[in-house]
Amino acid sequence: MPIILDHQLREQIPHKTAEFPVSYYHDELAELPNWAGPYHWHPDFEIATAESGVLDYQVGQQHIVLEAGDSIFVNGNILHRVRQLSGDRPDPLPIILFSGVAIAPEHSTVYQNYIHPIARSDSLPFVVFRHENNSRCEINALLQETYRWLREQPRCYELAVQRNISLILEYLFCNLDHFPKSEATRIQIKSQIRLQKMLTYIYEHYAETITLKDIANAAHISRSEAGRCFTAYMGCSPVDALIQYRLQIACGLLNEKTNTLQEISYACGFHSANYFSRKFKEAYGYAPSQVGCLGK
């Protein structure tokens, strides 16, 4: 299932919170151009595992390389994205997104004493579970078991998943003081908020004519400051980020095979089909007409 974002960069998570607030995804990279996802965030916790390839999980400004067998926990409301660095096929990348209320109601003692401290820990944006680390093998084993239950959904699987997630959160809580800390400075926090505002503007207005000034104005900053913010987090200019997002949207439309190349180019903010085709091939190495034919 492709990643779908709302206008606030929150990933739209289709699980029904009142019923069972845990969602399972896999093979998402196969649906993404160049096996790279967009920068996004969501209020839920996220846990993912590299199964076959080498992945770059970017959390905030930090890049974490995951090798096959490694897993990562990403805290809620943290900007992140994933990109596959190696491998002949897209990594299956099993992912679970879950709310703390999967374990206990938000106003309960259990939630307030044990889950809230994790969710509100500014110094814990992520935790990595390396496959060669004996102390974290148990967590990786729990994750594999959880993925299997969510994939197969046998009788009472919700109880089994809830039990494993509870054990994982217990491990995180008991080791809060021992994990490497990543304290964000006020400047970093301000930059992330600015980036969120500018990306929100891009995601809402990508089909329109957008200038660098428009993007900067969304965060009430100068064009040069906007450039510094995008470079620090995304390694590109605001305009390049806009083009990347337009191309990602175009990939989805191309896969639907219901519109012409010219219609797609205009729908994505490109006012020339030739320019769109050129930028698409520069980014992905193949022509728009080949989408769906290359296993990407």
Side-chain angles (χ1 to χ4, degrees):
M1 176 181 291
I3 294 172
I4 303 173
L5 308 176
D6 70 10
H7 69 283
Q8 292 181 301
L9 299 189
R10 290 190 178 95
E11 186 173 346
Q12 294 178 358
I13 303 168
H15 63 233
K16 298 178 180 179
T17 302
E19 295 179 11
F20 189 53
V22 180
S23 295
Y24 172 68
Y25 304 98
H26 62 91
D27 297 322
E28 286 195 301
L29 290 177
E31 302 296 325
L32 297 169
N34 282 8
W35 304 341
Y39 225 164
H40 65 285
W41 67 288
H42 42 70
D44 284 12
F45 300 125
E46 175 171 323
I47 299 182
T49 301
E51 289 206 339
S52 57
V54 177
L55 307 181
D56 171 28
Y57 236 93
Q58 183 179 352
V59 183
Q61 291 179 271
Q62 295 181 264
H63 290 264
I64 304 98
V65 175
L66 300 182
E67 298 182 352
D70 294 342
S71 300
I72 186 169
F73 165 86
V74 181
N75 216 330
N77 298 315
I78 300 292
L79 279 166
H80 61 283
R81 61 180 175 180
V82 61
R83 177 169 61 97
Q84 186 163 334
L85 300 179
S86 71
D88 297 331
R89 298 180 180 178
D91 195 298
L93 185 63
I95 298 174
I96 53 174
L97 301 179
F98 62 96
S99 168
V101 299
I103 305 304
E106 192 169 354
H107 299 293
S108 67
T109 300
V110 169
Y111 189 101
Q112 293 300 318
N113 286 352
Y114 305 111
I115 300 173
H116 187 268
I118 298 171
R120 292 293 175 263
S121 178
D122 293 332
S123 62
L124 192 72
F126 66 90
V127 176
V128 179
F129 304 102
R130 299 291 181 191
H131 68 279
E132 75 275 8
N133 188 325
N134 291 331
S135 66
R136 299 188 179 182
C137 282
E138 183 178 348
I139 297 297
N140 280 318
L142 286 173
L143 286 172
Q144 291 302 320
E145 196 173 50
T146 304
Y147 297 146
R148 179 171 56 82
W149 282 331
L150 286 166
R151 185 170 59 249
E152 299 175 1
Q153 298 190 1
R155 186 183 180 190
C156 300
Y157 81 93
E158 296 97 335
L159 289 174
V161 168
Q162 184 186 52
R163 182 171 63 248
N164 276 10
I165 288 177
S166 182
L167 289 170
I168 292 168
L169 289 176
E170 179 184 350
Y171 174 86
L172 292 172
F173 176 80
C174 292
N175 289 279
L176 272 178
D177 295 334
H178 305 294
F179 293 130
K181 296 299 184 291
S182 300
E183 295 287 353
T185 66
R186 287 186 178 181
I187 293 176
Q188 289 173 328
I189 294 172
K190 183 181 290 186
S191 294
Q192 178 167 312
I193 293 171
R194 287 172 170 175
L195 181 64
Q196 287 176 317
K197 290 179 178 179
M198 290 186 286
L199 284 175
T200 297
Y201 183 84
I202 287 174
Y203 288 8
E204 288 181 337
H205 300 279
Y206 68 88
E208 306 168 14
T209 299
I210 299 177
T211 66
L212 174 57
K213 184 177 180 181
D214 293 329
I215 296 172
N217 285 345
H220 307 291
I221 57 178
S222 67
R223 287 174 290 183
S224 58
E225 182 60 29
R228 283 192 288 270
C229 189
F230 272 84
T231 298
Y233 278 86
M234 302 184 68
C236 67
S237 71
V239 174
D240 285 339
L242 168 62
I243 292 173
Q244 289 174 18
Y245 186 68
R246 284 172 168 170
L247 292 174
Q248 288 171 344
I249 295 295
C251 274
L253 295 176
L254 287 164
N255 276 312
E256 292 175 4
K257 302 184 185 301
T258 57
N259 298 295
T260 66
L261 196 62
Q262 185 166 348
E263 287 171 339
I264 290 173
S265 65
Y266 275 82
C268 297
F270 295 101
H271 298 304
S272 164
N274 289 334
Y275 177 71
F276 162 61
S277 295
R278 186 170 75 252
K279 298 303 291 185
F280 192 98
K281 190 167 186 177
E282 285 177 5
Y284 304 133
Y286 51 92
S289 59
Q290 294 176 277
V291 170
C293 303
L294 302 176
K296 294 207 174 192

